[in-house]
Amino acid sequence: MDLIAAWEAGTGEERERLGPAVAAALAAEPTLAERYALAERLAELDAHRTVAAGHLTAILDEQTRGGAPEAEVLETRVALAHAWRDPAAAEAVLAHAVRSAGPRHAVTAHARLRVAQAHERGGDFPAARHLLRRAIPDAVRGPGPDHRRTVGLRLALAEVYERDTIRYASLHRGVLRAYRSLLGAQRQYHRAIESLERRFGPGAPIVLATLERLADLYERTGTLGPAIAQYEAALQWHELRHGPDAPETRAARDTLARVYLRGRHPERAVPLYEPHHHEQPEGHPDEALDDLAEAHLAAGDEDAALEVYERLLAYLAERDGPDAPETVRYLAEVAEAFDEAGAPAHALAWHERVVAALARAEPRDEEALTLARLHLAAARDATTESPFG
């Protein structure tokens, strides 16, 4: 079914969007096998899992009455236990699956995944990690390394390792354990990506989403070099798959630019913001303009930053009024940005504009005006200080 193929290749957000279509397809009374495939996927979505449980219960009744193969019945029981978020039922099905189908069968891999997820929901992360680590080798030897059950196990284990990495990193003497968990998460993400690329192609949404999850893990643990490499790869695929102006591509571009700035590479961030520079903001100030100005400042190009700030100020003044609180707040933010960048002459000019706007305001905010004058005085002092102290 095209709907199932789209689901398997999609990200979490795309699956949420597909939820109503899956529910509608179930209501159209397809074949028993198609009903199971649809209902099992629908059970992944909290908003639809009660509906999915109803379908799975009916499917299980039909399978039982019709003498369906035991593996199919077990698959449905696993999916139903997951739909109801019933850990005891999932444990019982897992024990049955190991006895009847063996540890390397796809239904056993499915049951182990659901039991591990139940452990996670209950906060027992060591139990989830132990079960997933045992399950993956059996799944690789059974249904195969690229089977969706095997990939599901890998992604679940990567998430457990990722959580452990963040948790251990915050503990005293937890650095070594955090590093080991980070390596475990990286290994599982890389192998999952390889399998997903073989199944769906390197530019599939689920592949890009997993690439970005790995990059996010690198970034959060301060490993910016590998993070940048993963984000760059993701951006290239977004541009190829969606085009340069698609929302997905813009989000990937902004993320990469942010990481460039964090990694002290503002000269690489500027070109990523530049395509948005000449676009007219619609409805609200374009954050990309502010990001572009920040990148110019970080790269030491104060004049280029000034040009961008002036353009965004003109937009705000036209939209809200030159002395509106939002406009004055923006003036102060720009003055502070030039202060922090060590550009006192530009900072002074913007502090003067803040004071002038507050002085014109009716009613006048005396407290804010006094504070602004203090900032202006400090900016004047900064411009007259000798560079030799």
Side-chain angles (χ1 to χ4, degrees), residues 10 102 116 192 326 373:
E326 293 81 4
R373 283 171 172 161

Side-chain angles (χ1 to χ4, degrees), residues 333-349:
E333 289 173 357
V334 175
E336 182 179 352
F338 278 120
D339 277 331
E340 292 178 352
H346 287 307
L348 175 61

Side-chain angles (χ1 to χ4, degrees), residues 21-106:
V22 173
L26 271 168
E29 299 184 355
T31 66
L32 187 64
E34 290 173 339
R35 283 167 60 199
Y36 169 75
L38 292 165
E40 187 214 328
R41 271 72 173 187
L42 197 64
E44 297 287 339
L45 307 178
D46 285 337
H48 297 275
R49 63 186 181 88
T50 301
V51 172
H55 285 284
L56 289 166
T57 300
I59 292 168
L60 184 60
D61 289 342
E62 290 184 41
Q63 289 175 330
T64 303
R65 290 196 308 268
E70 186 176 26
E72 293 181 12
V73 175
L74 287 172
E75 282 279 9
T76 305
R77 287 178 58 194
V78 174
L80 184 57
H82 180 64
W84 287 126
R85 303 297 191 262
D86 187 342
E91 291 273 11
V93 180
L94 173 56
H96 190 165
V98 172
R99 287 194 308 269
S100 63
R104 296 181 180 178
H105 197 281

Side-chain angles (χ1 to χ4, degrees), residues 271-354:
L272 297 179
Y273 290 128
E274 283 287 1
H276 305 300
H277 184 190
H278 300 290
E279 297 175 6
Q280 179 64 35
E282 297 180 2
H284 59 83
D286 191 345
E287 292 182 359
L289 282 174
D290 206 43
D291 291 334
L292 174 61
E294 179 188 348
H296 279 309
L297 270 183
D301 194 341
E302 297 169 10
D303 292 338
L306 178 63
E307 188 274 331
V308 179
Y309 282 136
E310 290 285 6
R311 180 169 181 263
L312 190 46
L313 173 63
Y315 168 77
L316 285 170
E318 181 180 353
R319 189 194 71 177
D320 302 318
D323 299 330
E326 293 81 4
T327 307
V328 177
R329 190 178 306 114
Y330 178 73
L331 287 170
E333 289 173 357
V334 175
E336 182 179 352
F338 278 120
D339 277 331
E340 292 178 352
H346 287 307
L348 175 61
W350 286 78
H351 281 299
E352 289 173 342
R353 294 162 89 168
V354 174

Side-chain angles (χ1 to χ4, degrees), residues 5-229:
W7 177 284
E8 288 300 307
T11 64
E13 289 183 2
E14 288 165 334
R15 290 177 178 181
E16 290 284 352
R17 289 195 293 269
L18 286 172
V22 173
L26 271 168
E29 299 184 355
T31 66
L32 187 64
E34 290 173 339
R35 283 167 60 199
Y36 169 75
L38 292 165
E40 187 214 328
R41 271 72 173 187
L42 197 64
E44 297 287 339
L45 307 178
D46 285 337
H48 297 275
R49 63 186 181 88
T50 301
V51 172
H55 285 284
L56 289 166
T57 300
I59 292 168
L60 184 60
D61 289 342
E62 290 184 41
Q63 289 175 330
T64 303
R65 290 196 308 268
E70 186 176 26
E72 293 181 12
V73 175
L74 287 172
E75 282 279 9
T76 305
R77 287 178 58 194
V78 174
L80 184 57
H82 180 64
W84 287 126
R85 303 297 191 262
D86 187 342
E91 291 273 11
V93 180
L94 173 56
H96 190 165
V98 172
R99 287 194 308 269
S100 63
R104 296 181 180 178
H105 197 281
V107 68
T108 306
H110 186 194
R112 282 172 165 166
L113 173 62
R114 298 315 185 193
V115 171
Q117 289 172 333
H119 285 314
E120 283 193 81
R121 287 194 298 272
D124 192 348
F125 303 120
R129 180 176 60 249
H130 177 70
L131 181 58
L132 292 166
R133 289 180 63 181
R134 290 181 58 196
I136 289 173
D138 284 337
V140 170
R141 297 185 186 97
D146 298 340
H147 193 276
R148 71 185 186 99
R149 302 297 187 202
T150 309
V151 174
L153 289 166
R154 287 198 185 282
L155 290 175
L157 181 56
E159 289 177 4
V160 172
Y161 277 137
E162 183 174 345
R163 187 181 295 107
D164 286 344
T165 300
I166 305 303
R167 180 167 60 89
Y168 288 140
S170 66
L171 299 177
H172 180 58
R173 296 183 178 178
V175 174
L176 180 58
R177 298 179 74 182
Y179 179 68
R180 288 174 178 170
S181 295
L182 175 61
L183 292 180
Q186 292 171 10
R187 182 166 55 251
Q188 297 305 325
Y189 275 133
H190 279 297
R191 291 181 180 175
I193 289 168
E194 291 170 359
S195 292
L196 291 168
E197 285 180 337
R198 286 191 290 266
R199 288 183 63 196
F200 304 112
I206 186 62
V207 175
L208 296 182
T210 309
L211 269 174
E212 288 163 354
R213 284 168 62 179
L214 176 58
D216 179 67
L217 174 61
Y218 279 127
E219 183 186 356
R220 283 188 291 151
T221 54
T223 315
L224 294 185
I228 287 173

